[in-house]
Amino acid sequence: MTVALSAAVAAAGGVAAVVLVAAPPSPSAKSSPKGYVIGQFNMAGGTTEHGAKGNPVPDDLAEDVADRRPAVLTLQETCRDWDERLEDRLKGYGVVFAPVDNLARNPGSPARCHHPTDFGNTLVFREDLGFERDTAESHLLGSTSGDEYREMVCVRSEERKLVACSAHLTPGEDEYAASREKEAAEAVRVLAGRYEGYKAVLGGDINDLPLSGVLDRFYHRGYGHGARGAFKEAAGPCGDAVKPRQPRDSLPRDRYTHCRSGEPTHSKGKIDYLFVSPSVRVEWSGVSHSEQSDHKQVWARVVF
C-alpha cells in the first residue's frame, strides 16, 4: 500500500530563456548491461482537464513502467487513489505517496486532486534495488506563495547508497518566483546535508527554464551560464557531457547546442528535469507524449 508522509525543509529561483534543440538520442542508442532507466512525470492530477479522468491515468502509466522497467520514477501532481492502483498493478515495485497541504486557501488543510482524493508527490521504485519504504522522508521547501506548501519526497537504498527524490516547485512570476527561489535553495541544502554520501536521482517539475537562476542552483558549475549547483542533467541535449555548450556535427562550426536546453516538456517550455550525481553516467535520454497529462514524460538510462 502507499505510504503517506508529513515533512520539513526549503528552496530557490530565477529567470531566463531556453535554446531548443533536436530530440535527444532514443532508447535504441548503445546501452550498458549495467544501466538502469529512470523517469520523471507530472501526472496532472491537479488540472481540470486530466485530474478527473479516473483509472486510465494510472493504468496508462503502469503500462509504461511495465515496458521500460525503470529503477525509479519521480512523479508530481499525483493522487492517492491513482498511487494505490499503480501499486496494485506494478509487481516488484514500491510506491511512496506524500500528500501536500494547501497554502493559498485554508492553509494547512489537505490539498485535493480534481476528484475526491488527496493530492501530492510520489516515488515509484524497484524493490530489488534496495529502496525501502521506511527510509522515505518528505521535506517541506519553505514555500511563501502559491497554491500548496511545496515539498521534496525522498527514498533511500542503503544497499547501494542511492537516494531518489521527487520535487515540485511553485509556478509563476513575481512573489511566486521568489518562493520558487527559496524552494530550490532548500532542496539543494537538503540533498547536500541530509543525503551527503549518496548518489542522487532528483526528478521534478521545477517550473522554470534551463537558463534561469532557479536552475543555476541545480546544474553543476561545469555547465556554465551562472550554474553553481552539483548535479548532472540526465535528460539534456549533451548527454553525459558537462560543459557550457557542445558543437553539433550537423550544423556549421559556429553553431552550438547549449547543454542547458532541450525539448519542451510543457507548453511553457522545458520545466521538467532529471538530475543525477556527477559520477552517474548518462547513456541516453528522451521525452515521450502522454494523453493523460499536459506534461511529457522524461526518461533516461544511467549507470550508477
Side-chain angles (χ1 to χ4, degrees):
M1 59 187 169
T2 55
V3 179
L5 302 173
S6 58
V9 198
V15 194
V18 60
V19 180
L20 300 181
V21 299
S26 71
S28 61
K30 185 177 179 182
S31 298
S32 161
K34 295 182 179 180
Y36 293 95
V37 173
I38 57 176
Q40 150 63 27
F41 184 41
N42 181 318
M43 295 183 74
T47 66
T48 54
E49 180 183 358
H50 301 284
K53 283 183 174 179
N55 289 335
V57 179
D59 288 353
D60 279 9
L61 182 58
E63 290 182 9
D64 292 330
V65 173
D67 180 54
R68 295 176 182 270
R69 291 292 297 168
V72 65
L73 178 61
T74 59
L75 302 170
Q76 301 82 43
E77 291 200 49
T78 58
C79 306
R80 187 185 295 275
D81 62 328
W82 288 356
D83 282 7
E84 290 169 349
R85 189 166 177 89
L86 273 176
E87 185 157 41
D88 184 61
R89 297 199 58 188
L90 295 175
K91 304 308 178 186
Y93 278 87
V95 179
V96 168
F97 173 68
V100 298
D101 289 336
N102 288 315
L103 171 59
R105 291 179 290 183
N106 301 316
S109 63
R112 305 286 277 176
C113 285
H114 270 273
H115 62 280
T117 189
D118 291 339
F119 174 84
N121 301 301
T122 296
L123 286 161
V124 177
F125 50 87
R126 275 175 45 176
E127 293 174 329
D128 64 335
L129 297 179
F131 290 106
E132 297 181 2
R133 301 166 194 271
D134 61 5
T135 68
E137 296 180 72
S138 185
H139 306 276
L140 290 179
L141 298 180
S143 303
T144 54
S145 300
D147 294 331
E148 299 97 30
Y149 291 100
R150 301 291 167 152
E151 70 167 23
M152 178 175 70
V153 58
C154 302
V155 66
R156 304 191 309 276
S157 168
E158 293 298 339
E159 173 187 323
R160 294 172 180 257
K161 279 310 213 185
L162 289 173
V163 61
C165 300
S166 172
H168 192 194
L169 306 192
T170 297
E173 301 304 323
D174 302 322
E175 74 270 22
Y176 304 108
S179 184
R180 185 165 61 252
E181 187 79 37
K182 293 177 182 177
E183 293 158 11
E186 182 62 12
V188 168
R189 188 190 71 80
V190 172
L191 286 162
R194 178 70 181 91
Y195 301 110
E196 183 181 7
Y198 291 83
K199 290 184 179 180
V201 174
L202 169 63
D205 176 0
I206 306 301
N207 271 311
D208 222 325
L209 299 176
L211 291 174
S212 69
V214 168
L215 271 300
D216 283 349
R217 294 182 177 271
F218 295 105
Y219 278 104
H220 188 280
R221 64 185 65 236
Y223 283 97
H225 302 282
R228 50 191 169 125
F231 298 102
K232 178 188 298 182
E233 190 187 359
C238 296
D240 196 54
V242 175
K243 56 180 67 175
R245 59 186 186 176
Q246 175 169 296
R248 297 177 61 197
D249 293 338
S250 59
L251 296 176
R253 294 183 63 181
D254 62 343
R255 296 282 297 281
Y256 289 84
T257 295
H258 285 288
C259 294
R260 288 177 61 173
S261 66
E263 288 190 85
T265 61
H266 187 270
S267 61
K268 296 178 181 177
K270 180 174 178 175
I271 61 173
D272 301 271
Y273 299 85
L274 265 174
F275 288 103
V276 294
S277 297
S279 61
V280 176
R281 189 170 84 248
V282 177
E283 294 190 329
W284 57 255
S285 66
V287 301
S288 60
H289 174 73
S290 171
E291 296 289 344
Q292 310 300 345
S293 175
D294 55 350
H295 290 252
K296 291 183 179 178
Q297 298 172 348
V298 182
W299 302 98
R301 184 177 174 91
V302 301
V303 178
F304 292 121

